[in-house]
Amino acid sequence: MKRSYIAMLALCTVLSSCKDNELFEKEMYKNEVALISSDYHNTFAEIVSLTGEEVIGYIAASAGGTHATGSNLVIGLEEDPEPLQNYNWALFDADESLYARALSTDRYEIPEYKIQINAGERTGRTMVRLRPDGLSPDSTYFIGLKATDLSSGVEINPKKNTILYQVILKNDYATQANENTYAMIGTADGMPAAANKRLFPLSRNSVRVIAGTETFESEVEDISKTAIILEVSDDNSVLIKPYKDIQVNQLDNDPTYPNLFRTETIFGRTYNVFLLSYAYTINGTTRVMKEELRIETHDLDN
């Protein structure tokens, strides 16, 4: 009797183990599809160069499981405002002045609202045509999308079924991707001056920067009062213009600060360098600036 009981117990254990293994293998082999993103909020950052022309980006999906899929898997994509609403509320609560924006539909086109992962492969993608010129470097832009089931039997990861596709602006002189700053040295009204300045990409060949030794404030009204534009011509000469409300006059007769952009390589390190001379007026006070702005180009790629 005792032996019979032990045998029955052993059999139940074996059957239970087989069932557990079967469930485990089923989970391991299951080709669950997920939109590829990088964090808790399912964001994906596309760094987009301002070229004056259309730029191509991609939205991608991947299939999990121990082995690649044995047949084509197709998921649909649809516009969805909810991920952006959740993102803004989670990060900024009710302060709408800090909210990220939905990228306007006239700024992009998705030719095919679907992603196919071919049999035997792990990933697939679909194209996004972007028109970023004219976007504000002070705003964060997203395209909110949600995955839907198009192929019979496709399972979509419920934690990775949305994506916030972020458009990050960049040109040869500045980027939204990080907050690296140019080192400024020079003179303000003939007195030594030094500071760190961040440049913001505006177009293929222009950036915005705070004038002189003014303090950077992120409010739109403050930027309008204190910011200037540096526009680099094909011959690397720099045209200095007001961004909005500031008064600025370019001074072109200083050989040390000839309003020029150049790159320099020193001991294997390459730098962007602006040599600038200008006078600006804020609230009736005029200040004359002679300044060098310098950053290692490697810092713009991080």
Side-chain angles (χ1 to χ4, degrees), residues 47-51 168-176 201 203 300-301:
I47 299 177
V48 177
S49 294
L50 295 169
T51 64
I168 295 180
L169 306 178
K170 181 183 186 301
N171 63 17
D172 290 339
Y173 320 101
T175 178
Q176 275 187 311
S203 69
L300 298 174
D301 296 328

Side-chain angles (χ1 to χ4, degrees), residues 2-296:
K2 186 176 181 180
R3 290 181 179 177
S4 175
Y5 173 77
I6 292 174
M8 289 282 292
L9 183 62
L11 179 60
C12 288
T13 300
V14 170
L15 291 174
S16 176
S17 177
C18 289
K19 187 174 182 181
D20 288 344
N21 287 338
E22 182 181 344
L23 290 172
F24 175 73
E25 289 182 4
K26 184 177 180 181
E27 288 296 314
M28 291 293 288
Y29 280 81
K30 183 170 64 174
N31 294 125
E32 193 176 59
V33 178
L35 294 175
I36 295 177
S37 57
S38 60
D39 61 14
Y40 173 78
H41 298 288
N42 291 348
T43 64
F44 177 83
E46 187 85 75
I47 299 177
V48 177
S49 294
L50 295 169
T51 64
E53 300 177 353
E54 188 174 78
V55 181
I56 301 300
Y58 294 94
I59 296 168
S62 64
T66 305
H67 300 298
T69 175
S71 59
N72 294 345
L73 299 179
V74 183
I75 61 169
L77 294 172
E78 60 183 31
E79 308 279 347
D80 187 0
E82 187 173 349
L84 181 55
Q85 294 168 2
N86 293 340
Y87 173 91
N88 280 330
W89 187 259
L91 269 62
F92 309 116
D93 200 70
D95 190 352
E96 295 187 8
S97 66
L98 300 176
Y99 278 14
R101 301 181 183 183
L103 187 64
S104 174
T105 54
D106 65 345
R107 295 288 184 175
Y108 71 94
E109 176 189 357
I110 302 175
E112 286 192 293
Y113 277 81
K114 67 178 182 179
I115 299 175
Q116 178 168 307
I117 301 174
N118 293 327
E121 298 183 4
R122 288 289 191 178
T123 61
R125 64 183 187 177
T126 194
M127 180 189 298
V128 185
R129 299 183 183 275
L130 298 163
R131 294 176 283 275
D133 282 79
L135 293 177
S136 169
D138 304 306
S139 297
T140 302
Y141 297 97
F142 286 114
I143 303 172
L145 297 165
K146 183 177 182 178
T148 60
D149 182 359
L150 286 185
S151 292
S152 176
V154 172
E155 293 190 53
I156 300 174
N157 185 331
K159 294 182 179 180
K160 287 289 187 178
N161 67 341
T162 62
I163 189 171
L164 284 171
Y165 179 88
Q166 183 179 6
V167 175
I168 295 180
L169 306 178
K170 181 183 186 301
N171 63 17
D172 290 339
Y173 320 101
T175 178
Q176 275 187 311
N178 55 54
E179 296 186 1
N180 287 327
T181 56
Y182 280 71
M184 183 274 278
I185 58 171
T187 63
D189 293 334
M191 300 297 292
N196 290 320
K197 291 189 174 187
R198 186 176 175 195
L199 275 60
F200 294 83
L202 294 179
S203 69
R204 175 187 63 83
N205 64 330
S206 67
V207 293
R208 190 191 72 206
V209 64
I210 297 302
T213 56
E214 303 300 316
T215 301
F216 173 75
E217 300 288 347
S218 60
E219 298 295 327
V220 172
E221 182 179 348
D222 293 314
I223 294 171
S224 297
K225 291 179 179 179
T226 60
I228 58 176
I229 295 173
L230 308 179
E231 185 177 289
V232 182
S233 302
D234 291 340
D235 63 357
N236 283 339
S237 62
V238 176
L239 178 63
I240 302 174
K241 304 187 293 186
Y243 176 63
K244 286 192 177 176
D245 301 332
I246 194 172
Q247 298 177 39
V248 62
N249 294 309
Q250 182 167 322
L251 307 175
D252 287 321
N253 299 316
D254 190 327
T256 305
Y257 300 94
N259 292 315
L260 186 73
F261 169 81
R262 68 188 183 203
T263 59
E264 296 180 358
T265 301
I266 303 173
F267 298 116
R269 294 183 173 183
T270 303
Y271 297 86
N272 278 359
V273 181
F274 286 89
L275 299 171
L276 308 173
S277 179
Y278 59 95
Y280 69 94
T281 303
I282 298 177
N283 296 328
T285 299
T286 299
R287 175 162 287 180
V288 175
M289 289 300 304
K290 310 284 186 177
E291 64 182 274
E292 174 192 283
L293 300 175
R294 176 182 295 266
I295 193 172
E296 188 173 357

